[in-house]
Amino acid sequence: MDDPNTLADTQFLLCFNVYSLHRSFGRFYQSAFSETGLTYPKVLILMALERHGPLSISALSSRIGVEPHTVSPIVKKLAGFGAITRERSEVDERRVELAITAKGQEVLDRARTVIEEGFAALGLEPDRMMEAMRFLDQAREAVEKADPPKLSFEGLE
Amino acid sequence: MDDPNTLADTQFLLCFNVYSLHRSFGRFYQSAFSETGLTYPKVLILMALERHGPLSISALSSRIGVEPHTVSPIVKKLAGFGAITRERSEVDERRVELAITAKGQEVLDRARTVIEEGFAALGLEPDRMMEAMRFLDQAREAVEKADPPKLSFEGLE
DNA sequence: CCCAAAAGCATCGTGTACGATATAATCGTG
DNA sequence: CACGATTATATCGTACACGATGCTTTTGGG
């Protein structure tokens, strides 16, 4: 897109760059995992359960930063494959407890290897990457706090 | 997530930060446009047609960086609302020509105002934002060139 | 002790993204 | 002129994301 000339244009261009890079990562993972049913969100879930498991659905969704009902169907699939266990808690029957299995650990380890090999030649400068990450995290907090006015007219549907 | 300790961890964390910010932006736009049928991709399409229109579906998809068949159903909806015109080219009947309408321009102008007001208080430092954008664009080019090895085992489905 | 409020999860509907596939139209070479 | 190759778009299926809604269970105040 064209060079921005106002702060608003710059912010909108940041948004577009994030959108573009997000989809590029998506295609990267799609290509790497195309012969399996694995996806990036599934890898995130396995990783969170590896490090912090066992977790409830709401705790897991908080860690990853998505809604619980986004996580619910995905963990059902991972459980169906045997990568995780998915059990209703006896202490609090509202909760479902999730834990990675040995098979899930193997899948995750192999996925990790593939991702690392794929990223090996990206050639991104570590210092700039760290600064970009700090900035992105601050941007996320700012965007989450933002309270935009509501556009209102006859809908597009 | 925990501090990364290798280049691979850092790259994966970059990926996660992009994923998180992308969804935060998504929620921002969802909130801003919740009373209309507008979405961020629709705004991108209107913006591209405003600046470079008229465009074919394939030209438009190239400008935005998504697949043509992603664009096809979205422009159908925008045409149904009257925000754009959608006409088969007489010169080359394979092509569909797209152009923004007066109504689409109005919708876009109002959406732009809402976005700018919503972004007004983000408080992001312009210099760091510009550097982050340059980095993200380089990262996107690198990721798009990357050729990850294929993970292969019994699928998850 | 009772009951309203809150919490946790599941389902439904919709939006966008991509891969695979199909159809129609155009191009370019022999 | 014919035909294979290529281009452009459309459809189908699947994945994930969120809002809305509903059901069940737990909590806590009166």
Side-chain angles (χ1 to χ4, degrees):
Chain A
M1 282 193 162
D2 301 338
D3 278 343
N5 47 21
T6 66
L7 180 60
D9 286 345
T10 309
Q11 285 165 333
F12 197 81
L13 196 50
L14 170 70
C15 180
F16 181 74
N17 282 351
V18 167
Y19 170 79
S20 298
L21 181 51
H22 173 263
R23 282 185 303 93
S24 295
F25 274 130
R27 290 194 285 260
F28 173 95
Y29 288 112
Q30 166 59 32
S31 173
F33 302 147
S34 61
E35 292 172 26
T36 73
L38 207 52
T39 59
Y40 176 66
K42 284 173 178 148
V43 167
L44 281 188
I45 287 174
L46 290 175
M47 214 167 258
L49 291 178
E50 176 196 46
R51 289 207 181 155
H52 307 285
L55 290 171
S56 67
I57 284 181
S58 57
L60 175 60
S61 67
S62 287
R63 284 213 173 259
I64 294 179
V66 296
E67 296 295 321
H69 55 272
T70 295
V71 159
S72 189
I74 301 179
V75 299
K76 266 189 174 178
K77 284 176 182 165
L78 287 169
F81 175 66
I84 66 172
T85 55
R86 179 182 176 280
E87 294 169 359
R88 183 71 56 175
S89 169
E90 289 176 5
V91 174
D92 184 337
E93 288 182 26
R94 295 173 296 179
R95 291 169 173 250
V96 167
E97 291 244 327
L98 310 166
I100 196 169
T101 61
K103 181 171 181 179
Q105 189 63 58
E106 181 193 342
V107 164
L108 179 56
D109 290 342
R110 293 175 68 184
R112 205 177 253 131
T113 298
V114 160
I115 293 169
E116 285 176 19
E117 287 185 38
F119 280 168
L122 289 187
L124 302 171
E125 297 163 63
D127 287 353
R128 289 180 72 207
M129 186 162 19
M130 295 296 291
E131 162 54 15
M133 277 165 34
R134 283 190 290 268
F135 178 83
L136 292 177
D137 203 51
Q138 283 184 251
R140 179 190 53 76
E141 289 185 5
V143 171
E144 281 172 5
K145 286 193 183 98
D147 185 20
K150 304 295 181 272
L151 185 60
S152 181
F153 56 75
E154 301 284 279
L156 270 67
E157 325 203 76
Chain B
M1 282 194 160
D2 301 339
D3 277 344
N5 47 21
T6 66
L7 181 59
D9 286 346
T10 308
Q11 286 165 331
F12 197 82
L13 197 48
L14 170 70
C15 179
F16 181 74
N17 282 351
V18 167
Y19 170 79
S20 298
L21 181 50
H22 174 262
R23 281 187 301 92
S24 296
F25 273 131
R27 288 193 286 260
F28 173 96
Y29 289 113
Q30 165 59 32
S31 172
F33 302 147
S34 61
E35 291 171 29
T36 74
L38 206 54
T39 59
Y40 177 65
K42 283 171 178 148
V43 168
L44 281 187
I45 287 173
L46 290 174
M47 214 166 260
L49 291 178
E50 177 197 45
R51 285 197 183 167
H52 307 284
L55 290 171
S56 67
I57 285 180
S58 55
L60 175 59
S61 67
S62 287
R63 282 212 175 262
I64 295 178
V66 296
E67 296 297 318
H69 56 271
T70 294
V71 160
S72 188
I74 301 178
V75 299
K76 267 188 175 178
K77 284 178 184 162
L78 286 170
F81 175 67
I84 67 172
T85 55
R86 181 182 175 280
E87 295 170 358
R88 183 71 56 175
S89 168
E90 289 175 6
V91 173
D92 184 339
E93 288 183 27
R94 293 173 295 178
R95 292 170 172 247
V96 167
E97 291 245 327
L98 311 166
I100 195 168
T101 61
K103 181 172 181 178
Q105 189 63 60
E106 181 193 340
V107 164
L108 179 56
D109 289 343
R110 292 175 69 184
R112 203 177 255 132
T113 299
V114 160
I115 294 167
E116 285 176 18
E117 286 185 37
F119 280 167
L122 289 188
L124 301 172
E125 296 162 65
D127 289 350
R128 290 181 70 209
M129 185 160 20
M130 296 296 292
E131 160 56 14
M133 277 164 36
R134 283 190 290 267
F135 179 82
L136 292 177
D137 202 51
Q138 285 183 250
R140 180 189 53 75
E141 289 185 7
V143 172
E144 281 173 7
K145 286 191 182 100
D147 185 21
K150 304 294 180 272
L151 185 61
S152 182
F153 56 75
E154 301 284 279
L156 270 68
E157 322 203 79

